[in-house]
Amino acid sequence: MSEIKKPDIYKMNLPADLKKLSTAQCEELCSDIRKILIDTVSKNGGHLASNLGTVELTMAIHRVFESPKDKIVWDVGHQAYTHKILTGRLKEFKTLRQENGISGFCRPDESVHDAFISGHSSTSVSAALGIATAMKLSGDKTHHAIAVVGDGASTGGELYEGLNNAGKSDTNIIVILNYNEMSISKNVGGMAKYLSSMRTKESYQRTKGRVERMLDKTPVIGKPVKNAVRNSKNAVKNMILHSTMFEDLGFHYIGPIDGHNLEELEQGLMAAKAVNKPVFVHVNTIKGKGYAPAEANPGEFHGVGSFEIKTGNPDVVLSDSFSSIMGKELCEMGEKNKRLCAVTAAMKYGTGLQYFAKRFPERFFDVGIAEEHAVTFCAGLASMNYVPVFAVYSSFLQRSYDQLIHDMAIGGCHAVICVDRAGIVGDDGETHQGIFDVSFLTSVPNMRIYSPSNYDELRLCLHKAVEDDSGICAVRYPRGRDQSLYDTSDPVSTYVYRHIDGAKVLLVTYGRLANDLFTAIEILRNRDIKCDIIKLVNIFPIDNEVVDIMSAYDAVLFFEEAYYCGSISEKYASICPNVAQFAIDGFVKHGKCDVLLDELGFSAEKMADTVEGFLKDE
């Protein structure tokens, strides 16, 4: 293999063959991998800029370490596409984020090289420390647990909780910070650069370790000499190169390293491997490396739909979406209400808050990937009579359950949670499907939840939540556009009831499913089956008027795009024995939204079939 000039990545045994290649051959492979990334993501959508930035780093990790014996934990998995390519999934990579294809995130059930699931941020150090500790308990002193942390994840509080424990753990854990914004530790002159280069030499680390072990074994004078050397060394080093926070936490610090220089990367990682104690490796990379549109606009190419490679233009413009409508309406409300504030956890563009941020920068707050902090921060604003609106993805709000109860609900704070990506989100799979917010939000006392099915209802519910309600209010809405075909009457914030004379069956739903359920009623009518419908808008607390309506029917079928346990349908079923639940049981894999909804039984045709089958069995 080492004799060939240009390796064919499709004919290689990966990752083992990487160790047989020269640096020049690996650089050629990196170029090929970037083409594969751009071509695949342009068709399937996904995370592009972050993956283009980690090609060389991933290559170096797999050349220096031995996966899966060494455990690589990615934080978040949206920078691990090259890892997938280099660990036996190249031929399947074209199925990325497609139904029955490979996931856009790391999944241990997909490959033995995926050490830990990685859909949410800032978890890698905690997971890697647990793995490294298990290795130590098992007597494995050879292999390492490697946490690869993106700089976005470094804004999450859990990362620092993990670092605080990992630095003093005496385990074989290596934390690699993939940083692409600015240097963490300031370099001071030529001597600092020299010291940094010395620390990245494997021979220096091995010699240092041997000397320390020899002194430990030397009777009487060994440990005092070792301590004296260490103290004097630290004194000199701190005069020349300021100590980093990571060294203060107990890590051996290596870096900064050029994240696109394979030789420098491998040298630094070999040095880290030789330490056999907690090591922090600081790597500087360029987001979008190798693709001009992504380098120029890394934020726009962080997570993208399909796009044209030549121009970088996306196929779909998302200005018409529930997220953007919410953001624009909030701006109009902010003009009149000077105490209205908007908060995001590193998702300004994803949640539509870029409009508010531009118009009212002094009342807009991006707290980073720190949902727990965001909720308590909002509670603090509310305690001073400001009205905070926290826009957050459903699956990320899960992290702040304690803060919702302890910091908001008990204190009676008035705050609004805009729950974006509620329900099925599609291609990102289990870690991002927004199917659990109903279950945990309804367990919080004095919580009010709206679930609008169209833009007009969204605007109305937002005004109600901000201006009329008290306590905590959640306004939840799906990813994407309003595709309503029915119920174009004036919007309401309670419920819509459509009654047909003679109907003995009532169908109930809320949110996005309402549109398909109205279609299902038309399908059933053509089958000579009459059904009435209630579309809930204010889905919680339970509405006694709705209970009274339900009680008058022979059968009530409740369709719900949420987890079965703790669902709204479950609550109504506990009151009305004639209610049959049709909700989601378990996790939902990745795939296109319409396909997944159909598989779950929530397409118009499938709901009509369910109703017909239910009535036949009665």
Side-chain angles (χ1 to χ4, degrees), residues 162-177:
L163 288 171
N164 185 52
N165 278 271
K168 58 188 178 185
S169 67
D170 193 29
T171 61
N172 283 357
I173 183 172
I174 297 173
V175 178
I176 301 173
L177 176 64

Side-chain angles (χ1 to χ4, degrees), residues 16 20 25 30 52 90 116 118 148 174 188 253 283 367 384 386 390 433 459 505 521-522 573 582 595 600:
K20 303 175 184 178
Q25 288 174 315
C30 288
L52 290 174
L90 174 60
F116 202 79
S118 62
V148 187
I174 297 173
V188 185
Y253 177 84
V283 176
V367 301
M384 299 298 290
Y386 280 82
F390 176 34
Q433 310 288 14
R459 295 185 183 98
V505 179
I521 286 181
E522 296 298 326
F582 299 93
V595 174
L600 291 165

Side-chain angles (χ1 to χ4, degrees), residues 516-517 520 523-524 527 559 582 594-613:
D516 284 316
L517 195 58
I523 295 172
L524 289 165
R527 300 177 186 177
F559 295 90
F582 299 93
D594 56 347
V595 174
L596 293 177
L597 288 169
D598 181 70
E599 291 177 354
L600 291 165
F602 293 145
S603 64
E605 192 73 30
K606 288 288 182 65
M607 287 191 285
D609 291 343
T610 297
V611 174
E612 185 175 16

